[in-house]
Amino acid sequence: MFQPEWCRLTLASIVDGVIVTDTHGRVTFLNAAAESLTGWAAQDASGEPLESVFKIVSEGTRGPVESPVQRAVSQGVVVGLGNHSVLIAKDGTERPIEDTAAPIRNDKGQVAGAVLVFRDTTQRKNAERQLKDALAYADSIIATLQGPFLVLDNALRVRTANIAFYRNFRVSPHEVEGRFVYELGDHEWDIPALRTLLEDVLPGNRAFHDYRVEHDFPSIGKRVMLLNAHRFEAVESRPELILLSIQDITEHWLAEGAVQRSEVRYRRLFETAKDGILILDADNGKIIDANPYMTKLLGYSHEEFMGKELWEIGLFSEQSENEAAFKTLQRDGYVRYEHLPLETSTGEEAQVEFVSNVYLVDDQSVAQCNIRDISERVRLERKTQDQSEELSDLHRSKDEFLAMLSHELRNPLAPLMNAVQLLRQQQGTESPIQWKARSIIERQLGQLKHLVDDLLEVSRINSGRVRLRQARVGVNGIVEAALETARPLINERKHEITVSEPAEPIWLYADPARLEQVLVNLLTNAAKYTDEGGHIWLTVELEGASCVLRVLDTGLGISPELLPRIFDLFTQAERSMDRSQGGLGIGLSLVQRLVELHGGTVEARSVVGQGSEFIVRLPAVSGPGARRPSPIMDPAVPPPPRVKVLVVDDSVDMAESLAMLVESSGHESRTVHDGPSTLQAAMDFLPNVVLLDIGLPGMNGYEVAKLLRKEPLLKDVILVASTGYGRESDRQASVDAGFDHHLVKPAEFSEVRRILAGAASKLK
């Protein structure tokens, strides 16, 4: 290839390596720099393939790299600078290089060869590596700093920043690194104070400490910072750097302001508080401050408080009590007295609430004592306590009165009930007038007995003496029993009653007697408050897991004023303008409380003139297994033997009427009217059953029962308590005295007949 001499001289003088090739990639020329870098002499390299003289590999992968000459010759273009190649010299030494190639054209513009220019970048690579190592070392240090930190070059561009900077100022590395510091965050860092600081550092000042800056950042709001800049001059392996530390003191600044405001507010509260406040030196217990209310409360001036201990201003009666309280305060840091006597400077006494706690103020331990005058509150508390005791006494007296009233009412009711039952046995011989008179007496006695029972039940429930005898029972049986009890009144009022029950039985875990009592009350109320010829519905349904009983009537309804209080005790109001239906106003209260004892609810709905509806909801349970078939009874059962019955009651009418009923049932009886005579009568008569009243003159029934149980001849006698008291404690007293049964007056004679039948069965 023709190469003018001037071209050769020019290429030879270039400090970069130069290799010229022909179009086949064979070397035609090496300058001195190329000889030095490749280790090939020009005469040895001439005619050799370029790949033999200029052997390069990738710096990263160590794989072969295509010579840029091939593209320059084949495509006739200049191939750009490559920065990641390693040149392997003839002797095997390696050095990083940068290379470029360009085509050589002849006079006709045709590619006649190529020129390759390359240079050794070892020194620059070493400098870059040293800088990178230095920055990595610096990064490892500043990464541990908790406060934001920036590293700037001498052009004030960000070289790096720590995690705290990115986190606190909500920016990412690509938004920061390489950018001019005043342009960070779209110029939000163009802070005049920062410019002043950096301008002071750049000329030669190495550091500037604690430069306070207040700035409103659009991204994070107003912040208060302390800036500190330090300049490191350039050295051989490191360029000039500026380190900028940033301490965010916003919270501290806000806290200082809050403390100042708090002190002002505290002083204002201290001066205007309506409680007394004393500040003590926590080391010696002497007063160092007192608010104006204390001067008003005790009558001392502010100066008179200073330096005194609490006992000296009337807060403790003796110095020893003061010292004991102060020791507790020093040990626990807190002391409280609910009622502390206080004597004022004029000798007047007051009751105060005293609370004290210890805390630090400017490294001094103080005790704040808050003193509240509670004299008026104490007076009201005592008055309230007295009133509560009075109400409790009244409540107890009321329960005792109700129990006594029901007992006293039962005594005359019992012989009357017995007499009516005797008259009922004469039904075939009665005249129409006698039958009508007896029917009236029966109905009114039933009503009176119902009222007396309700009085006793309310007394029991209020005192918590009701115990449910619960078992798995079917609702249909309870409904039938309630209808049987309420039907005489329903028939008397000429009402039509519709009963709706589901085909499948509904089961409850309940006390059947108590639930019967609930339904009887609701049905009786419906009958009483519905005009003659009205309609009553009793519906039983299963809704989810609840058994729902509804009693609906066509009566006059309940007034809106009464409806919210309809279940309150002794609530009684007329449902019509012209008459009252009687009663004591306790039936519905009894209904509610019995339902709640079963875990249920009851509600009333009514519109005046459109009747009333009472809804009882009770938790249903799963039914029992199949019932056992009833045994076939032998119709030819002989009559039971006669039983000898001793009737003991101080009421002659009660004793005689009960004895007449016993004899009318085919048994033998004898009567006694006091306690001391009972034992002798029992020894003479040797009864099988003793119906024994508890409230006897001379000796009560419990004492008589205990004596009877001691007699060998009477060891098998059945003792039946007959009393007007039906509380659980009364029943337990009967058991303790040796009674077998406990009947509450006026007991149905059917209960007595059942006991007599049991006694007769033992005589067979």
Side-chain angles (χ1 to χ4, degrees):
M1 174 184 286
F2 173 76
Q3 294 177 344
E5 188 62 25
W6 64 267
C7 182
R8 287 179 177 273
L9 293 174
T10 301
L11 294 178
S13 64
I14 295 176
V15 295
D16 292 335
V18 178
I19 299 177
V20 179
T21 69
D22 59 18
T23 56
H24 299 290
R26 295 185 178 277
V27 176
T28 61
F29 174 79
L30 271 77
N31 71 348
E35 289 180 326
S36 173
L37 292 174
T38 63
W40 284 76
Q43 61 272 20
D44 295 334
S46 181
E48 292 290 329
L50 178 64
E51 291 78 6
S52 299
V53 177
F54 186 72
K55 186 178 181 180
I56 55 175
V57 296
S58 171
E59 184 178 20
T61 66
R62 302 295 295 179
V65 178
E66 181 183 10
S67 170
V69 170
Q70 294 179 2
R71 288 181 57 197
V73 172
S74 63
Q75 299 178 12
V77 296
V78 177
V79 179
L81 192 66
N83 295 320
H84 302 288
S85 299
V86 174
L87 174 64
I88 302 176
K90 191 175 183 180
D91 61 0
T93 59
E94 298 181 0
R95 54 175 55 83
I97 63 167
E98 292 176 349
D99 55 4
T100 184
I104 299 174
R105 297 181 184 274
N106 58 22
D107 295 340
K108 296 179 180 181
Q110 297 174 332
V111 175
V115 59
L116 173 69
V117 181
F118 57 98
R119 68 177 55 169
D120 185 356
T121 60
T122 302
Q123 186 175 2
R124 193 189 72 193
K125 290 282 186 178
N126 289 338
E128 288 177 351
R129 187 177 298 107
Q130 289 176 348
L131 177 60
K132 184 177 180 180
D133 292 343
L135 288 176
Y137 179 71
D139 284 344
S140 65
I141 294 176
I142 66 174
T144 62
L145 300 177
Q146 294 183 354
F149 198 89
L150 286 175
V151 178
L152 312 176
D153 60 20
N154 58 2
L156 298 183
R157 294 190 176 276
V158 179
R159 297 298 299 268
T160 188
N162 67 344
I163 295 175
F165 181 86
Y166 300 130
R167 183 177 60 247
N168 286 16
F169 294 101
R170 301 175 187 174
V171 290
S172 60
H174 77 271
E175 295 175 296
V176 173
E177 294 176 4
R179 296 192 63 181
F180 191 50
V181 68
Y182 302 138
E183 295 177 353
L184 298 181
D186 294 331
H187 299 276
E188 71 175 30
W189 275 84
D190 193 4
I191 305 170
L194 178 60
R195 282 183 175 271
T196 302
L197 172 63
L198 295 179
E199 288 171 1
D200 186 70
V201 170
L202 277 175
N205 294 331
R206 297 178 62 83
F208 193 95
H209 295 282
D210 295 341
Y211 199 97
R212 180 166 170 158
V213 175
E214 293 182 21
H215 187 65
D216 193 359
F217 293 88
S219 59
I220 61 173
K222 186 176 182 180
R223 311 302 294 175
V224 181
M225 303 174 294
L226 285 181
L227 303 179
N228 182 292
H230 190 94
R231 183 174 64 85
F232 286 89
E233 295 178 354
V235 294
E236 181 178 352
S237 61
R238 185 193 66 227
E240 181 177 309
L241 297 175
I242 297 173
L243 306 184
L244 177 63
S245 68
I246 306 166
Q247 182 182 359
D248 189 340
I249 61 169
T250 307
E251 301 302 326
H252 179 71
W253 174 72
L254 292 174
E256 283 183 345
V259 169
Q260 293 175 357
R261 292 189 296 273
S262 177
E263 289 177 352
V264 172
R265 185 165 55 249
Y266 168 77
R267 179 51 59 178
R268 187 180 298 120
L269 291 173
F270 183 80
E271 298 292 342
T272 60
K274 297 305 179 183
D275 288 340
I277 302 176
L278 293 173
I279 307 299
L280 314 181
D281 186 324
D283 294 327
N284 56 32
K286 295 185 182 297
I287 298 172
I288 57 177
D289 202 357
N291 73 336
Y293 189 84
M294 282 304 301
T295 65
K296 177 182 177 182
L297 180 62
L298 291 179
Y300 295 107
S301 66
H302 186 272
E303 290 72 21
E304 289 176 308
F305 280 111
M306 299 302 103
K308 288 187 172 59
E309 297 181 16
L310 296 180
W311 68 273
E312 296 179 281
I313 60 170
L315 264 171
F316 291 93
S317 58
E318 296 180 1
Q319 183 177 1
S320 58
E321 292 181 9
N322 189 150
E323 291 174 351
F326 189 65
K327 286 181 180 178
T328 302
L329 180 62
Q330 286 182 315
R331 182 188 70 240
D332 301 336
Y334 176 83
V335 69
R336 180 187 184 94
Y337 294 92
E338 297 289 344
H339 295 83
L340 187 66
L342 173 67
E343 183 178 346
T344 69
S345 61
T346 59
E348 297 179 5
E349 291 188 357
Q351 286 282 331
V352 297
E353 184 180 75
F354 179 89
V355 181
S356 182
N357 59 288
V358 177
Y359 56 88
L360 290 175
V361 176
D362 297 332
D363 297 326
Q364 179 185 3
S365 182
V366 299
Q368 178 174 319
C369 306
N370 291 71
I371 299 151
R372 174 170 294 180
D373 187 353
I374 59 170
S375 301
E376 181 62 18
R377 190 181 80 188
V378 170
R379 187 187 68 79
L380 291 175
E381 286 175 352
R382 288 174 180 168
K383 183 178 179 180
T384 301
Q385 184 177 0
D386 292 341
Q387 291 174 339
S388 176
E389 291 175 355
E390 290 176 6
L391 289 174
S392 179
D393 291 341
L394 288 173
H395 185 69
R396 184 169 54 255
S397 299
K398 179 204 69 177
D399 284 346
E400 292 174 354
F401 170 75
L402 290 177
M404 182 61 69
L405 177 63
S406 62
H407 173 266
E408 293 302 321
L409 290 174
R410 286 177 187 276
N411 282 333
L413 276 178
L416 288 173
M417 294 286 289
N418 292 339
V420 168
Q421 292 183 73
L422 286 169
L423 291 174
R424 191 185 301 149
Q425 295 177 5
Q426 311 300 318
Q427 289 183 19
T429 62
E430 290 177 305
S431 67
I433 293 177
Q434 289 173 328
W435 174 82
K436 188 172 184 179
R438 178 179 57 79
S439 298
I440 293 172
I441 294 172
E442 274 189 301
R443 287 194 300 272
Q444 296 305 316
L445 276 176
Q447 178 68 6
L448 186 57
K449 181 177 180 296
H450 179 72
L451 294 176
V452 172
D453 287 343
D454 281 356
L455 276 173
L456 185 60
E457 290 298 335
V458 168
S459 176
R460 287 174 177 172
I461 292 176
N462 285 345
S463 57
R465 295 192 299 270
V466 168
R467 290 185 182 178
L468 300 180
R469 293 174 172 82
Q470 293 177 283
R472 195 181 300 271
V473 295
V475 178
N476 57 340
I478 297 171
V479 170
E480 290 173 7
L483 285 170
E484 182 180 350
T485 303
R487 195 172 292 278
L489 178 60
I490 294 173
N491 293 339
E492 179 190 348
R493 303 283 293 168
K494 300 181 178 61
H495 295 317
E496 179 183 354
I497 182 165
T498 301
V499 180
S500 176
E501 296 182 88
E504 294 294 326
I506 300 175
W507 297 90
L508 305 173
Y509 184 69
D511 185 330
R514 295 300 185 182
L515 289 189
E516 178 187 339
Q517 192 175 359
V518 167
L519 275 181
V520 167
N521 266 299
L522 294 179
L523 290 169
T524 301
N525 264 14
K528 286 168 56 179
Y529 292 106
T530 301
D531 288 337
E532 288 190 4
H535 201 145
I536 299 172
W537 290 267
L538 172 57
T539 305
V540 182
E541 298 174 309
L542 184 64
E543 293 183 2
S546 297
C547 172
V548 182
L549 301 98
R550 303 175 190 269
V551 177
L552 176 66
D553 62 55
T554 58
L556 296 177
I558 307 169
S559 68
E561 296 79 13
L562 177 64
L563 191 59
R565 300 182 291 106
I566 196 65
F567 294 107
D568 292 350
L569 187 60
F570 299 126
T571 295
Q572 177 68 26
E574 296 182 359
R575 299 195 191 184
S576 64
M577 296 298 296
D578 58 346
R579 60 172 168 68
S580 170
Q581 299 298 337
L584 299 175
I586 59 179
L588 290 179
S589 176
L590 191 61
V591 165
Q592 184 185 51
R593 299 184 188 195
L594 287 175
V595 169
E596 289 175 349
L597 284 174
H598 283 83
T601 62
V602 59
E603 63 174 309
R605 300 174 182 175
S606 181
V607 176
V608 174
Q610 299 181 25
S612 304
E613 182 181 21
F614 288 85
I615 305 169
V616 175
R617 287 183 170 83
L618 297 164
V621 297
S622 58
R627 295 183 178 179
R628 295 180 180 177
S630 302
I632 299 175
M633 302 299 295
D634 185 359
V637 178
R642 287 166 57 87
V643 175
K644 297 169 68 175
V645 182
L646 180 63
V647 180
V648 184
D649 201 299
D650 61 337
S651 169
V652 175
D653 289 342
M654 175 64 185
E656 294 298 331
S657 61
L658 187 55
M660 292 171 66
L661 285 171
V662 168
E663 291 180 357
S664 67
S665 300
H667 302 291
E668 183 181 355
S669 70
R670 184 174 296 182
T671 60
V672 181
H673 304 299
D674 62 76
S677 303
T678 302
L679 183 60
Q680 186 59 48
M683 295 298 296
D684 295 340
F685 186 50
L686 296 178
N688 306 110
V689 178
V690 178
L691 301 176
L692 181 57
D693 184 25
I694 298 299
L696 294 172
M699 183 183 299
N700 65 43
Y702 298 133
E703 296 171 327
V704 173
K706 292 176 181 178
L707 291 175
L708 292 176
R709 286 300 182 202
K710 292 180 180 179
E711 291 295 334
L713 294 176
L714 301 174
K715 63 184 179 65
D716 295 325
V717 69
I718 297 174
L719 297 183
V720 182
S722 178
T723 175
Y725 295 108
R727 297 174 300 183
E728 192 64 34
S729 58
D730 300 323
R731 296 179 184 275
Q732 186 59 47
S734 295
V735 173
D736 295 341
F739 283 98
D740 299 291
H741 303 279
H742 186 101
L743 299 182
V744 180
K745 297 178 182 178
E748 293 288 342
F749 188 68
S750 58
E751 297 185 60
V752 178
R753 188 179 290 114
R754 179 181 56 80
I755 295 172
L756 297 181
S761 66
K762 296 180 180 180
L763 299 178
K764 294 180 181 180

